[in-house]
Amino acid sequence: MSSAARRLELPRHEVVALHDGDFALDGGAMFGVVPRVVWERLTPVNPDHTIPLATNPFLFRDGGHRVLVEPGIGRRWSDKERAMFHVDHSGGRDVVESLAAAGVAADEVTHVLMTHGHWDHVGAVCDEEGRPRFPKAEHWIPEVELEAALDPGHLRRASYRREDLQPLVDAGLLKTFRGEHEVLPGLRMVEVGGHSDGVSLVLLEDGGETACFWADVVPTRNHVHLPFIMAYDQNAAKSFAVRREWITRAADEGWWNLLYHDPVAPIGRFVRDAKGRFAFAPLEGAEASA
Ligand SMILES: [Zn+2]
């Protein structure tokens, strides 16, 4: 039986969807202005009105590099927070265990790319004691995202935790950029904003193919339709403009799309449905998802 694939072969790179913890957020907040009668047909809903979400870090591997895109939600949570957000690391849902299952040790990771500073994206970059978990890697984050994470007065302070990133700063492992940064030939981080001030896309160009990691610009396969913008987004008008520009490009140019929060199908194409709206076509694979 075919199921949604978690692995993609490009000419020079292997792209693997890893696992960190599963969690859940309020369904209404995840779909913004979309009425519940519409979104509840798309996803299971928990009794507390949250919906199940994954954190899928991605591994980009070529002959010489092991790039980790978005470390994960991590394990530094109180029992109360774990219960509130349904944080679940069972079944190998831990970024380091998941990397090991793909044949990569934590100290073999060469680059860690973080699209923005929200806790569900960077919480796994340090361990419970605050030690960096990828000690040999160059870590990159947009400069305005580091500033937001270190500023307790930020408007969206509930989305950032200073302790997620301070240890990396102290260890001299964290580098920042503004606008756009070429990490390696063919691998770029492009700051777009909207969801947060500096949220970035990660673009991998390889042998005429493009793979794009969408962070929270398109968090799940149910967020490809343009008006489906999360209530968490700092600037919804900007998110709409960013999404219209980049989703259109991804669909027109046949990109592979890598989705961080999708619990079912993390890799696929953006296509247009019969009404001309954008939709998601998952990459199918023979293997059951690990
Ligand atoms: Zn997120």
Side-chain angles (χ1 to χ4, degrees):
M1 221 183 91
S2 74
S3 59
R6 300 189 66 89
R7 194 172 157 279
L8 171 68
E9 280 292 346
L10 297 176
R12 289 189 301 108
H13 291 84
E14 182 189 16
V15 174
V16 185
L18 305 170
H19 289 286
D20 200 60
D22 286 347
F23 73 125
L25 290 173
D26 184 82
M30 281 301 291
F31 286 99
V33 298
V34 181
R36 177 164 176 159
V37 291
V38 174
W39 63 254
E40 72 182 358
R41 288 188 232 123
L42 306 173
T43 170
V45 188
N46 295 318
D48 64 357
H49 313 291
T50 60
I51 61 168
L53 296 167
T55 62
N56 302 311
F58 279 78
L59 170 68
F60 296 172
R61 171 160 52 185
D62 69 6
H65 308 100
R66 291 160 195 84
V67 179
L68 176 65
V69 181
E70 221 82 313
I73 191 169
R75 292 175 175 265
R76 283 178 302 104
W77 297 99
S78 66
D79 291 345
K80 189 181 156 198
E81 290 164 331
R82 271 184 184 279
M84 180 160 63
F85 296 117
H86 304 254
V87 180
D88 176 12
H89 286 90
S90 64
R93 286 178 160 72
D94 172 277
V95 65
V96 170
E97 287 174 41
S98 186
L99 271 169
V104 177
D107 64 2
E108 293 175 321
V109 173
T110 55
H111 300 78
V112 176
L113 311 185
M114 294 175 277
T115 63
H116 63 301
H118 288 170
W119 47 254
D120 54 320
H121 294 247
V122 301
V125 79
C126 294
D127 67 13
E128 286 118 302
E129 278 76 51
R131 285 177 304 229
R133 293 171 90 193
F134 309 100
K136 304 232 173 95
E138 215 172 81
H139 294 63
W140 285 95
I141 194 165
E143 186 178 315
V144 291
E145 289 295 320
L146 178 61
E147 285 166 2
L150 301 183
D151 172 13
H154 190 275
L155 166 69
R156 291 279 189 274
R157 65 181 176 275
S159 304
Y160 293 96
R161 299 184 303 182
R162 182 187 189 111
E163 60 271 29
D164 284 329
L165 297 172
Q166 188 69 52
L168 291 178
V169 176
D170 296 342
L173 290 173
L174 189 56
K175 300 188 177 186
T176 61
F177 69 96
R178 278 185 180 271
E180 190 171 321
H181 171 62
E182 184 171 57
V183 181
L184 292 166
L187 177 61
R188 285 185 301 147
M189 299 180 78
V190 180
E191 194 173 75
V192 291
H195 170 67
S196 65
D197 290 337
V199 68
S200 299
L201 304 175
V202 180
L203 290 160
L204 175 64
E205 281 160 11
D206 179 346
E209 299 206 58
T210 300
C212 180
F213 177 82
W214 287 87
D216 281 343
V217 177
V218 182
T220 80
R221 69 193 188 288
N222 296 318
H223 290 84
V224 184
H225 184 33
L226 291 182
F228 283 38
I229 293 170
M230 294 190 284
Y232 299 110
D233 284 25
Q234 179 120 323
N235 183 337
K238 179 142 194 211
S239 288
F240 185 81
V242 163
R243 286 160 50 80
R244 184 167 52 193
E245 176 188 345
W246 287 89
I247 293 172
T248 301
R249 249 181 101 180
D252 288 349
E253 297 178 15
W255 294 359
W256 290 109
N257 302 296
L258 315 176
L259 305 183
Y260 183 65
H261 286 308
D262 198 286
V264 175
I267 304 174
R269 305 274 199 194
F270 294 164
V271 295
R272 288 180 175 81
D273 69 13
K275 292 179 186 163
R277 298 175 307 198
F278 293 116
F280 187 71
L283 172 65
E284 305 273 313
E287 7 155 17
S289 67

